[in-house]
Amino acid sequence: MAAGAAKLQLQERAPLPRTAWKLADLAVLALLLALLARRAASLLAVSAGGAAAAAAAPACTWCWVAALVCEAWFTFVWLITVSTKWSPVRFDTHPERLAQRSEELPAVDVFVTTADPKLEPPAVTVNTVLSLLALDYPAGKLACYVSDDGCSPATCFAMREAAEFARLWVPFCRKHGVGVRAPFVYFSSGVPPVRGGAAAADEFRREWTAMKGEYEKLVSRIENADEESLVRRGDGEFAEFVGADRRDHPTIIKVLRDNGKEGDGDGIPSLIYISREKSPRHPHHFKAGAMNVLTRVSGVLTNAPIMLNVDCDMFANNPQVALHAMCLLLGFDDEVHSGFAQAPQKFHGALRDDPFGNQLEVLYEKLGFGIAGLQGMFYGGTGCFHRRKVIYGVPPESTADIQTTRMRGSPSYKELQKMFGSSKELIESARSTISGEMLAAAPMADDLTSRIDAAKEVAACSYEAGTNWGQEVGWVYGSMTEDILTGQRIHAAGWRSALLNPDPPAFLGGAPTGGPASLTQYKRWATGLLEIILSRNNPILLCITKHLEFRQCLAYLVIYVWPLRAPFELCYALLGPYCLLANQSFLPKASEPGFMVPLALFLTYNAYSLAEYMDCRLSARAWWNNHRMQRIVSSSAWLLAFLTVVLKTLGLSETVFEVTRKEQQGDGGAGAGDDADQGRFTFDSSPVFVVPTALTALTLVALAVGAWRAVAGVSAAGGGPGAGEFACCGWLLLCFWPFVRGLAGKGSYGIPWSVKIKAALMVAAFVHLCTRN
C-alpha cells in the first residue's frame, strides 16, 4: 500500500520560501547582541576603575546587571525561535485519489473527551459527535467513542439522543453534500442555495425545514434534561448512574449504535459512551488517563489501526478530513514520516481581532509550518490522527535500540502482559496491532455488546498497576499537558509527524472569552510545560539519550519556556518603575550614542511582529491585542504556573486540573450580541489577577513620581531616569490598559476589592524598598 500510495502522490511536501524573513530574523538578533555588548562594556567599565571609566559606568550597577541577565534570556528565546521558523514546509494532500478506494482504507476509532457537563455543555459535544458520524468515510470503518469524565447522566442522555438523530442527519448530509456537518453551524446561515429546477429547490427546502425542526427538538430535549429526573426514572438506560459520584463510581459503557450488528448496518458509524471507573484511592491522571482508557476499550471492541482524538468542542469542519489524513498516513514511502498527523487548532465564531490573545493564528502559521519542516508538528491534544501501534510504543523500523528489539516482530505473551496488562482480549488485539499489517481487518466480534465485560475490565482504575501504561505505552503521565508530552515521546522514539492543514480547515473549536477563562487556560498549559522541563522527560535529555533531533528539541523548548519567561519578563517590567521611584536609570540617555541600540531594537522587533500578523491576513489591532495579552499572561498565568510548580517541587502544593469553560455554540462569537462587551476584559477574585493589578498600579505611581521630579527639577545629576525609563513605563501602561480600566470598572469588568487590597500591599512594599535609601 505504501508503494502504491507513493506512486499516486497522495501528499506532496512543499518547502516555503522565507528569505526576507530570515534577513529580518538576523537583523533582530544582531540588535540583541549589540545591546548585550553595550551592557557588558558598561559593566566592565565599573571594574576597570579610574575617572574616565567611572564616567562611562552606569549609576545603578545592579539595574544594569539585571537588565543584562534578562536581555541575555530574551536573546536565547529569540535564537531558538529563529531556529524553529527557519525552514518551513507545507503538506498538500489529494483525497480525491482515495475516495474510490474504500476497500483499502484503514478503520478509524474516533475519541471525543468531555469532563464537566456545566463547563462543557452536552449540546456542544452532540454537535461535535454528529459532525464526526457524518464524515465522508466508510461507515463500517468508523466508530466514535465519547469519554465522559463527569459521569453525567445528562451527557449520556445527550449521546443517546444524538445516536437517534444521526439516523436522519447523516443520510441528509450525504444526500445533499453538506459542507459543515455540525448542525448548529449548518442551520445558522439560513437555507443554502440549491442548483436545479424549482421542483428540486422546493423538495430541498422542505427537507431542510423538517431537519432543522428535528434539530431544534433535539437541542430542546438535551437542554431541558435534568440529571436528577433522569436518574429517578430507574429504567435500564440510567440505572448505573444511581448513587454514582463523579469522583467515585464504577465503569459505565453503553453501545448506543453498533454498525456491525445485524440489521443495523445502515451507513451510520458505531457510537459508544464511556465513563471510566473513578476511585479516590487511585490517581486518574486527568485527560491522559481518560485517553488511555479509550485506547484500551477501543482496542477490545473495534481495534482500528488509526485513532482520531478531538476535544468535545472541536467539530469536524471538513467532511473529508479523514481522507486528507489518510493521504499523509499512507502517502509516504516510509511510515516513519507519519507517526501521527496533526491539524492546527482553529476557531469558529471567534471574536474579531482576538481580544484575549488565545486564537494563536500566527503561532500555528509561523511556528507550526517551521516545526513541520523539522521532525514534525507537535501533538496538540485535539484534531490528531494517530497510528495505534505508535501509541502502543512501537518504534519505527529505522531505530535500533533495546526497545526496538523487544517490540519488533511478535513479542511474547509475558512481554505483552507486562506492557498492556492482564486482559487476554487486549493482549490479543495488541499483538495483532504490533505484528500485523495496518490494513488487516481487526478480529473483533460482530456484536459489540458481547465484549462489554472485557471493555469494563480494561477501564478499571486499578488495571494499569504494574504495567507500562502512561510511560512507554499510551498517553504519558506526569504533566497536565499530556498531549505535547506524548507527542514528544513519539518523536523521541524516532517517529516523525505531518501537519494536516486542508482547505477548508479540518476542525474548528471555541476559544475561551473573558479574562478568567483565558488566563485559566494559559495557566494550565504553562503548569504542564514546566512540569515537563523539571522531569526526566526534559527534551534536552531525550535529545542526548533518544532519537529526538537537536532542532526539534529547540522547537519544543520554544513552547516549554513559556512559564520560565515569567520571572525574566516581570523583572524587566519592574526596572522602569524602580528607576523612576529610586531616581536611577537602566537605559542609556537619549544624548548618548548607545541609546540608538535599544530604540532600534524596540522599533525593529515590533515592526517584525506586526508584519507577521499582516502576512497572516490579520489586522494591526489583532497584533496589538496579542502583544498586550502576552505581557499580561507572562505576569499572571505564566507567573502563577511557575510558582505553582516550584511549590509542588518543594512538596508544598499540588497542581490542580482546571477545565476551561466552553461557550454554548451558537450563542457567542463575533456575530452575536454586543461585540464590545464580549471583547472586554473581565475579572474575578482569582490570584492570577493580583500581580498584573499590582504592576499596573505601581506603574501609575512611578510615572506620577517621575513626572513630579522632572517638573520640580530634583532628578539625580547624570544618573536619574531618562526618556527611556518613561517610555518603558508608558508602553507598559498601554499593555496593561485593561487593568487600568478594571481599577475603576464595576461588576465583572471591575477588579474585585480583594485583589485591589493585595495588589496595594505589594505596591506599598515595593515603593518602600525603592525609596528607603
Side-chain angles (χ1 to χ4, degrees):
M1 177 66 191
K7 292 177 183 177
L8 288 171
Q9 294 186 346
L10 296 177
Q11 59 79 29
E12 297 175 74
R13 187 177 189 269
L16 301 175
R18 65 181 305 270
T19 303
W21 288 108
K22 289 180 179 179
L23 294 175
D25 291 337
L26 296 176
V28 174
L29 178 60
L31 288 170
L32 282 166
L33 294 176
L35 182 61
L36 291 177
R38 164 70 179 155
R39 290 268 183 218
S42 298
L43 290 171
L44 287 174
V46 175
S47 57
C60 181
T61 303
W62 83 262
C63 293
W64 282 60
V65 171
L68 176 64
V69 171
C70 293
E71 289 158 0
W73 170 260
F74 299 152
T75 305
F76 166 73
V77 172
W78 184 253
L79 276 170
I80 61 177
T81 303
V82 167
S83 170
T84 303
K85 294 179 179 179
W86 196 256
S87 49
V89 301
R90 181 187 70 245
F91 290 95
D92 297 325
T93 50
H94 305 286
E96 69 279 359
R97 297 171 184 174
L98 280 174
Q100 303 304 319
R101 297 165 56 184
S102 59
E103 71 283 353
E104 299 181 21
L105 295 173
V108 180
D109 286 337
V110 182
F111 302 154
V112 180
T113 51
T114 181
D116 189 316
K118 294 181 179 179
L119 297 179
E120 300 172 332
V124 173
T125 308
V126 163
N127 271 279
T128 296
V129 168
L130 289 171
S131 72
L132 296 166
L133 294 178
L135 290 177
D136 286 338
Y137 207 77
K141 295 187 176 184
L142 271 181
C144 182
Y145 294 80
V146 178
S147 170
D148 175 20
D149 256 14
C151 191
S152 166
T155 301
C156 183
F157 172 79
M159 292 305 105
R160 187 184 70 176
E161 293 296 312
E164 291 301 314
F165 181 72
R167 294 177 182 269
L168 303 173
W169 177 246
V170 174
F172 175 84
C173 290
R174 292 174 179 164
K175 177 181 177 181
H176 298 290
V178 174
V180 181
R181 299 181 180 179
F184 86 98
V185 177
Y186 180 68
F187 291 120
S188 65
S189 55
V191 183
V194 181
R195 293 181 180 178
D202 289 341
E203 180 184 0
F204 172 75
R205 191 173 293 106
R206 285 194 299 271
E207 292 185 18
W208 185 92
T209 302
M211 188 59 61
K212 182 180 181 183
E214 292 297 325
Y215 173 66
E216 289 172 348
K217 293 177 185 176
L218 169 71
V219 173
S220 178
R221 290 194 298 270
I222 292 172
E223 292 181 346
N224 293 327
D226 178 69
E227 292 194 353
E228 293 185 4
S229 62
L230 289 173
V231 173
R232 281 199 301 268
R233 287 184 187 178
D235 58 18
E237 189 69 36
F238 301 101
E240 293 172 274
F241 291 94
V242 176
D245 181 83
R246 62 175 300 177
R247 297 179 182 84
D248 189 4
H249 63 85
T251 299
I252 301 173
I253 299 179
K254 295 184 180 296
V255 178
L256 303 176
R257 285 198 60 78
D258 186 351
N259 181 273
K261 191 174 181 181
E262 185 177 354
D264 203 22
D266 53 2
I268 315 297
S270 300
L271 178 61
I272 300 97
Y273 168 90
I274 301 171
S275 184
R276 59 180 170 138
E277 182 184 12
K278 291 279 192 71
S279 172
R281 298 183 298 277
H282 297 275
H284 57 81
H285 300 294
F286 311 117
K287 184 180 176 180
M291 293 303 301
N292 283 338
V293 168
L294 284 168
T295 303
R296 294 195 296 269
V297 169
S298 65
V300 168
L301 295 181
T302 49
N303 199 35
I306 303 298
M307 302 182 297
L308 162 65
N309 90 277
V310 295
D311 287 344
C312 66
D313 65 329
M314 296 291 290
F315 64 87
N317 181 64
N318 187 328
Q320 291 196 318
V321 61
L323 295 175
H324 282 282
M326 294 310 142
C327 290
L328 295 173
L329 295 172
L330 306 177
F332 290 93
D333 292 330
D334 189 343
E335 66 180 13
V336 68
H337 291 282
S338 55
F340 60 86
Q342 173 68 57
Q345 290 191 40
K346 298 187 177 183
F347 303 98
H348 167 78
L351 296 177
R352 185 178 178 182
D353 296 328
D354 192 11
F356 302 103
N358 51 19
Q359 296 172 25
L360 307 179
E361 292 184 65
V362 173
L363 178 75
Y364 277 112
E365 187 159 336
K366 295 300 181 180
L367 279 179
F369 285 113
I371 296 168
L374 303 176
Q375 204 170 345
M377 186 62 176
F378 301 158
Y379 167 39
T382 181
C384 187
F385 289 82
H386 301 271
R387 295 179 187 270
R388 185 180 288 269
K389 72 175 184 179
V390 174
I391 290 295
Y392 280 177
V394 179
E397 294 292 325
S398 58
T399 59
D401 53 22
I402 296 175
Q403 186 186 27
T404 304
T405 305
R406 182 178 64 182
M407 288 294 290
R408 187 174 293 162
S410 299
S412 68
Y413 186 90
K414 190 172 182 180
E415 288 175 329
L416 291 172
Q417 190 175 38
K418 167 64 178 174
M419 296 188 68
F420 298 102
S422 58
S423 168
K424 294 180 180 178
E425 292 83 355
L426 181 59
I427 289 173
E428 289 305 314
S429 72
R431 187 193 298 276
S432 68
T433 297
I434 293 169
S435 59
E437 291 295 327
M438 179 176 174
L439 301 178
M444 296 291 100
D446 290 335
D447 186 358
L448 296 180
T449 57
S450 65
R451 290 198 170 218
I452 291 294
D453 289 340
K456 287 185 176 181
E457 177 189 353
V458 299
C461 56
S462 60
Y463 181 81
E464 296 178 348
T467 70
N468 289 343
W469 285 99
Q471 301 171 52
E472 297 178 18
V473 178
W475 272 253
V476 183
Y477 301 151
S479 169
M480 295 175 71
T481 51
E482 74 296 318
D483 43 12
I484 197 168
L485 180 56
T486 301
Q488 180 184 273
R489 175 181 68 81
I490 293 170
H491 285 135
W495 291 98
R496 307 179 79 86
S497 58
L499 178 62
L500 174 63
N501 194 37
D503 184 22
F507 302 95
L508 293 180
T513 59
S518 299
L519 296 183
T520 293
Q521 184 181 65
Y522 273 112
K523 176 180 175 291
R524 185 176 71 243
W525 288 346
T527 300
L529 296 173
L530 189 55
E531 288 173 333
I532 296 173
I533 289 182
L534 299 179
S535 72
R536 59 185 177 86
N537 295 309
N538 185 297
I540 298 174
L541 297 178
L542 296 181
C543 181
I544 297 171
T545 62
K546 297 286 186 180
H547 300 281
L548 190 67
E549 296 177 0
F550 176 68
R551 286 184 63 198
Q552 185 76 7
C553 168
L554 297 183
Y556 273 109
L557 287 177
V558 170
I559 306 299
Y560 288 173
V561 298
W562 278 2
L564 292 179
R565 288 169 60 173
F568 293 98
E569 293 197 16
L570 179 62
C571 175
Y572 208 75
L574 287 172
L575 285 175
Y578 172 82
C579 289
L580 291 183
L581 291 169
N583 214 13
Q584 301 288 350
S585 66
F586 79 103
L587 290 170
K589 298 294 190 295
S591 57
E592 300 173 2
F595 179 78
M596 295 306 298
V597 176
L599 177 62
L601 177 60
F602 173 80
L603 295 176
T604 303
Y605 173 78
N606 283 292
Y608 176 99
S609 178
L610 176 59
E612 282 193 320
Y613 277 80
M614 296 297 184
D615 192 49
C616 294
R617 302 160 301 282
L618 298 173
S619 66
R621 180 159 187 164
W623 163 76
W624 172 249
N625 287 337
N626 278 264
H627 177 81
R628 67 173 176 81
M629 278 303 299
Q630 188 171 358
R631 305 283 78 75
I632 291 171
V633 168
S634 68
S635 66
S636 57
W638 290 353
L639 182 64
L640 195 58
F642 176 81
L643 296 175
T644 298
V645 176
V646 169
L647 292 175
K648 177 188 175 184
T649 304
L650 297 175
L652 301 177
S653 177
E654 286 294 331
T655 54
V656 178
F657 185 86
E658 297 171 282
V659 179
T660 305
R661 177 178 294 278
K662 307 297 189 296
E663 300 299 327
Q664 184 73 34
Q665 289 163 327
D667 295 340
D674 186 349
D675 249 4
D677 285 345
Q678 288 178 358
R680 188 172 172 183
F681 212 86
T682 55
F683 302 90
D684 61 16
S685 57
S686 169
V688 78
F689 293 109
V690 174
V691 173
T693 301
L695 191 55
T696 302
L698 176 65
T699 305
L700 288 169
V701 172
L703 281 171
V705 171
W708 174 81
R709 281 198 178 122
V711 171
V714 294
S715 295
E725 285 75 20
F726 278 97
C728 284
C729 287
W731 187 257
L732 187 67
L733 205 60
L734 288 176
C735 291
F736 283 79
W737 192 252
F739 285 80
V740 176
R741 296 179 68 185
L743 288 172
K746 296 180 180 180
S748 62
Y749 300 124
I751 300 173
W753 275 105
S754 59
V755 174
K756 290 180 182 178
I757 292 172
K758 295 172 185 175
L761 292 174
M762 295 175 69
V763 170
F766 189 85
V767 170
H768 173 71
L769 290 174
C770 294
T771 58
R772 62 180 179 177
N773 295 327

